[in-house]
Amino acid sequence: MRLSVVGCGYLGAVHAAAMASIGHEVVGIDVDQAKVEALASGRAPFFEPGLQEILTEGISAGRLRFTTDMADAKGAVVHFVGVGTPQQKGGYAADLTYVNAAVDALLPHLSPGDLVAGKSTVPVGTAADLAPRVSATGATLVWNPEFLREGFAVQDTVDPDRLVAGVPTGPEGERAADILREVYHPSVGKGTPFIVTDYATAELVKVAANAFLATKISFINAMAEIAEVTGADVTQLADAIGHDARIGRRFLGAGIGFGGGCLPKDIRAFSARAEELGRGESVAFLREVDEINLRRRDHAVTLTVQALGGSVFEKNVTVLGAAFKPHSDDIRDSPALDVAVRLHGLGAHVTVTDPEAITNAKNIHPQLTYIHDRDEALTGADAVIVVTEWDEYRRELDPTHAKTLTRGTIIIDGRNCLDATAWRNAGWTYHGMGRP
């Protein structure tokens, strides 16, 4: 089937390449000339495991191409819209400028019977507003939210755990759902749940999922705050309650909290939309979820200051990690960089290392020192803080070896990902998050 993908950022580029990898003919369209040129030449503009391989394969096979010309969308059966919905400046609500612009630019190139499939994360009610504009061309709007995890985005697109299609009522909606089933035929054929809903439910699925995950993370971080004043161990607490099948252990890792381009902005936009709908009290707890999350960054900085005797001024602090999570070079709302910048502001000499995110971090925060080599970054440090749980730090860094490189022996485990006993036995003063 011929498909177009409007918006070739993180979501769109992965979706375009993944759809080509399962046999579709795909054109990716974006207004950013530099991004399009990189993709067209077979270069992934960001780090995502597996993307480079399917991007190269799709272009070589002739199933995938990229352009800045929206007219090239004409002739596609399904047009995916995957542009960004950033947080509005000066507010919490989502900015729909790019969604509206993408749909308006696409309208002249639609044909009767086409599908426009929204994938962007939008406030509930957006699809209902857009549908009449799409219907006026004879095309049909559907909402097909994405559920990508950065670091696993290719896998989540090619082999998702569920597919959701928000469609209009009646025969038009049934036809639209059948077309989407055909688009995702490998997944549908293997029994992946394909859930057909109305527009509003499809829009809520994404934000509700993100709100739940954010709440679960902030819950265990709230328990870490209690553990810190009682002497309890939040990691043992998480293990114990995680055995309850109703709760589960995933996303109960206490630390410095979540970041990235989705969870923080999505829960804020959800709160803002609920206020607009007159139901702000229904998700008022999300404000506290956000506040707990931000407090953990404060706590990581405080732990470092206290461990260094009350001041980090003129001290050498090595920060292990810059990306908001491992297997990504994404630094959007990165807790790691937030902590690094705050320590720098307190007068510390901050050195940051990361396997993939240094270039992006340097562009935004050039005041920090960046060193690619982990051991070189550790050399001469008075304190080390782990803020992104790359395997290079949590599994492959030997505490005895690290001690031969640093000047001090203070380790702040901002992700509770290290073996505390091993580090203490090697002579380090270990500080975890919510651990005695």
Side-chain angles (χ1 to χ4, degrees):
M1 188 181 298
R2 186 176 178 192
L3 313 175
S4 76
V5 177
V6 181
C8 294
Y10 176 81
L11 165 60
V14 172
H15 193 71
M19 291 299 98
S21 76
I22 62 175
H24 296 298
E25 180 186 345
V26 184
V27 57
I29 306 168
D30 199 284
V31 297
D32 187 329
Q33 182 71 44
K35 185 187 300 179
V36 167
E37 288 177 357
L39 288 165
S41 67
R43 290 184 291 109
F46 52 86
F47 175 74
E48 177 63 35
L51 175 60
Q52 184 63 61
E53 291 79 3
I54 62 171
L55 178 66
T56 302
E57 190 273 335
I59 292 172
S60 298
R63 294 191 303 271
L64 178 62
R65 62 190 180 92
F66 295 91
T67 179
T68 57
D69 189 354
M70 188 66 80
D72 284 354
K74 191 168 185 63
V77 177
V78 182
H79 309 269
F80 290 98
V81 177
V83 296
T85 53
Q87 187 175 323
Q88 288 182 3
K89 292 182 179 179
Y92 278 179
D95 184 349
L96 296 179
T97 300
Y98 302 112
V99 171
N100 284 307
V103 171
D104 286 342
L106 183 59
L107 293 176
H109 310 292
L110 297 177
S111 300
D114 284 2
L115 251 59
V116 175
K119 294 201 72 69
S120 303
T121 302
V122 296
V124 61
T126 301
D129 290 340
L130 293 173
R133 288 146 65 181
V134 174
S135 296
T137 69
T140 300
L141 179 72
V142 300
W143 216 261
N144 175 220
E146 55 85 13
F147 304 102
L148 305 187
R149 299 167 296 163
E150 291 199 35
F152 302 91
V154 172
Q155 173 188 327
D156 290 344
T157 306
V158 174
D159 188 21
D161 54 15
R162 80 282 206 194
L163 292 159
V164 175
V167 303
T169 58
E172 182 184 16
E174 293 174 5
R175 174 182 174 274
D178 285 342
I179 292 173
L180 280 183
R181 288 189 181 94
E182 186 178 348
V183 170
Y184 296 114
H185 62 90
S187 297
V188 172
K190 66 182 291 187
T192 298
F194 188 93
I195 304 164
V196 180
T197 75
D198 53 72
Y199 288 148
T201 304
E203 292 166 320
L204 281 172
V205 167
K206 172 63 176 180
V207 293
N210 278 355
F212 185 86
L213 294 177
T215 300
K216 193 171 183 181
I217 295 168
S218 282
F219 169 81
I220 200 62
N221 278 327
M223 295 303 99
E225 293 180 337
I226 301 300
E228 283 155 4
V229 297
T230 60
D233 188 327
V234 74
T235 60
Q236 294 179 350
L237 173 65
D239 288 341
I241 65 175
H243 283 293
D244 188 325
R246 297 167 300 174
I247 297 172
R249 184 60 173 83
R250 295 189 65 193
F251 289 91
L252 285 181
I256 61 172
F258 56 81
C262 291
L263 259 61
K265 79 170 181 69
D266 287 353
I267 64 171
R268 293 165 192 161
F270 196 9
S271 296
R273 183 57 177 150
E275 291 285 353
E276 293 171 354
L277 294 170
R279 289 293 182 268
E281 70 277 8
S282 299
V283 294
F285 68 93
L286 290 179
R287 303 283 186 176
E288 184 60 26
V289 166
D290 198 13
E291 290 175 9
I292 292 169
N293 188 56
L294 295 176
R295 282 205 304 267
R296 301 313 288 164
R297 304 179 188 190
D298 296 336
H299 186 61
V301 173
T302 300
L303 268 182
T304 308
V305 172
Q306 291 174 344
L308 285 168
S311 174
V312 295
F313 185 72
E314 296 292 316
K315 298 293 178 66
N316 296 327
V317 179
T318 294
V319 176
L320 299 181
F324 87 95
K325 65 178 291 187
H327 312 297
S328 173
D329 63 354
D330 194 342
I331 61 165
R332 290 176 294 176
D333 200 7
S334 169
L337 278 181
D338 192 1
V339 168
V341 169
R342 293 191 200 194
L343 290 170
H344 174 81
L346 294 173
H349 299 300
V350 179
T351 298
V352 178
T353 186
D354 189 284
E356 297 292 342
I358 285 181
T359 299
N360 290 341
K362 189 181 295 185
N363 288 337
I364 303 298
H365 297 293
Q367 72 273 32
L368 304 175
T369 299
Y370 297 93
I371 296 177
H372 283 275
D373 183 81
R374 183 199 66 191
D375 285 5
E376 184 182 350
L378 288 169
T379 301
D382 295 302
V384 178
I385 177 167
V386 180
V387 282
T388 310
E389 62 273 38
W390 287 94
D391 283 347
E392 287 87 339
Y393 314 140
R394 69 188 185 103
R395 296 183 188 277
E396 299 168 11
L397 180 57
D398 178 70
T400 301
H401 170 67
K403 190 178 177 184
T404 67
L405 302 171
T406 60
R407 185 164 65 186
T409 54
I410 295 167
I411 182 78
I412 311 295
D413 186 0
R415 294 294 182 181
N416 286 346
C417 61
L418 303 178
D419 183 337
T421 300
W423 282 81
R424 285 175 173 144
N425 287 344
W428 289 81
T429 301
Y430 172 93
H431 298 273
M433 305 288 279
R435 306 178 74 179

